[in-house]
Amino acid sequence: MTIYEKMLAQYGEKHEAATPNAAHEVMQQIALAGLHRGGFFDHAAFYGGTCLRIFHDLPRFSEDMDFSLIEKRDDIHLENYFQAIEREFQMAGLSVTITKKDKKVLGRVESAFLKENTETYEIKFQTKKTVKIKIELDTDPPLQFETEQKMLLQPYSFMVRCFTLPDLYAGKMHALVYRAWQRRIKGRDWYDFEWYVRNGIPLDFNHLQARIKEFSGDEIDRETFMEQLRERLTTGNIEMVKADVLGFIDNPHELDIWSNDYFLQLADRIKFV
């Protein structure tokens, strides 16, 4: 039995029954292992929904892996770590290919929120169907965030540098309020917002301000941000929000309480650092 197969089996035991996303999530952990072995986390940190899923038990599946350099520099690139990633997958029993994803062919929601200096790649392997994960690195990141070391035990014991929860929260609120919707609302942003409030996580407004300024150039105070948040929560089509989330959760009844008013009341419970 390969390391990959053992991890899949353990995943099934942990989650009672392996979900359709098991292969995807095991791949994400192997990719993190390869990045660690290559020294990537000396220079970068993990953030976003997949970080929240792997290290804080967010109860929804998350597709992409988002990373940020911990300081602005132009000599650190994902390509530098391809060999380490590929070697890690080989040791786990998989042969993968890594390809650059052209921003011109990204989906509407994705392309509306990617900066010019964001590197995007896909790691994939072929079994009965293609399994792939998308990884992104912000090489010119908004700063004023803190990180911490989080542990994984598979495929070996190692540490991953991650954004702290208040700064993960700031990144999510930036996405929720300022992501360009185009034709589709990313309801996963709303789901994660609910998770942060329910778990009493404080929001790092300094990092949120840095993100807003990085993407739009605007200086936003807390009162203005809350006005913009409430506007988004009031005008969002809640049925579209729910529809986006359903494919990423096991229990659809989690969403029974969801309404615009419910999210407005959640906004009243935001705690700031």
Side-chain angles (χ1 to χ4, degrees):
M1 183 179 288
T2 66
I3 293 173
Y4 171 73
E5 290 168 339
K6 290 178 181 178
M7 289 179 69
L8 272 182
Q10 292 173 354
Y11 183 99
E13 292 171 1
K14 179 180 178 181
H15 294 269
E16 297 183 359
T19 73
N21 299 313
H24 199 111
E25 297 192 351
V26 169
M27 278 187 70
Q28 290 171 337
Q29 294 179 48
I30 295 172
L32 288 172
L35 288 168
H36 171 267
R37 208 184 294 269
F40 178 71
F41 294 109
D42 294 339
H43 310 288
F46 192 23
Y47 74 100
T50 303
C51 181
L52 205 61
R53 166 75 171 175
I54 292 175
F55 292 107
H56 300 284
D57 296 320
L58 176 72
R60 74 161 178 88
F61 170 61
S62 181
E63 293 177 298
D64 304 331
M65 304 183 74
D66 301 307
F67 301 97
S68 168
L69 293 183
I70 59 176
E71 60 180 348
K72 295 179 184 289
R73 51 190 297 180
D74 57 11
D75 61 333
I76 302 295
H77 303 282
L78 283 169
E79 292 100 319
N80 302 349
Y81 303 92
F82 283 0
Q83 187 175 10
I85 294 171
E86 291 168 349
R87 187 182 301 118
E88 199 67 47
F89 275 99
Q90 287 171 359
M91 289 190 292
L94 296 176
S95 178
V96 300
T97 59
I98 305 177
T99 56
K100 188 166 187 175
K101 192 165 184 180
D102 189 344
K103 293 179 187 178
K104 294 180 181 178
V105 299
L106 291 173
R108 288 179 176 270
V109 173
E110 295 171 323
S111 60
F113 211 63
L114 279 177
K115 296 193 302 181
E116 184 63 30
N117 42 12
T118 301
E119 300 176 350
T120 305
Y121 294 86
E122 286 183 339
I123 303 173
K124 61 183 177 181
F125 77 97
Q126 185 73 41
T127 55
K128 293 181 180 179
K129 64 177 183 178
T130 299
V131 181
K132 60 185 179 181
I133 58 175
K134 180 157 68 72
I135 57 175
E136 294 178 359
L137 172 64
D138 189 345
T139 58
D140 185 25
L143 300 177
Q144 298 185 42
F145 60 83
E146 296 183 0
T147 64
E148 61 183 345
Q149 297 291 332
K150 303 294 290 184
M151 179 178 66
L152 275 180
L153 299 178
Q154 297 291 341
Y156 62 93
S157 296
F158 64 100
M159 293 288 185
V160 174
R161 185 198 294 266
C162 301
F163 279 40
T164 61
L165 278 169
D167 291 319
L168 286 168
Y169 192 0
K172 180 54 59 177
M173 296 310 290
H174 178 240
L176 173 59
V177 176
Y178 300 100
R179 190 191 301 272
W181 281 349
Q182 302 291 339
R183 298 179 182 178
R184 183 167 69 97
I185 299 175
K186 196 163 185 178
R188 285 157 278 176
D189 293 340
W190 298 53
Y191 186 94
D192 296 359
F193 166 50
E194 178 193 42
W195 185 91
Y196 283 111
V197 175
R198 290 178 63 189
N199 285 276
I201 308 300
L203 172 61
D204 183 351
F205 192 71
N206 286 333
H207 181 53
L208 177 57
Q209 284 180 310
R211 284 192 165 271
I212 295 169
K213 186 173 182 180
E214 180 80 19
F215 279 82
S216 68
D218 296 332
E219 296 275 3
I220 300 295
D221 59 25
R222 188 180 300 181
E223 291 73 21
T224 301
F225 170 75
M226 290 302 297
E227 289 174 5
Q228 293 175 343
L229 172 62
R230 291 189 178 97
E231 174 67 17
R232 171 104 351 160
L233 297 177
T234 299
T235 58
N237 184 318
I238 203 67
E239 295 307 316
M240 292 178 66
V241 170
K242 290 181 180 180
D244 178 75
V245 175
L246 284 173
F248 296 85
I249 60 176
D250 294 326
N251 179 15
H253 293 297
E254 288 184 72
L255 313 184
D256 288 349
I257 194 174
W258 281 23
S259 67
N260 296 92
D261 181 63
Y262 172 65
F263 279 97
L264 286 168
Q265 292 196 41
L266 288 177
D268 291 337
R269 299 192 178 212
I270 292 175
K271 299 187 298 184
F272 293 92
V273 172

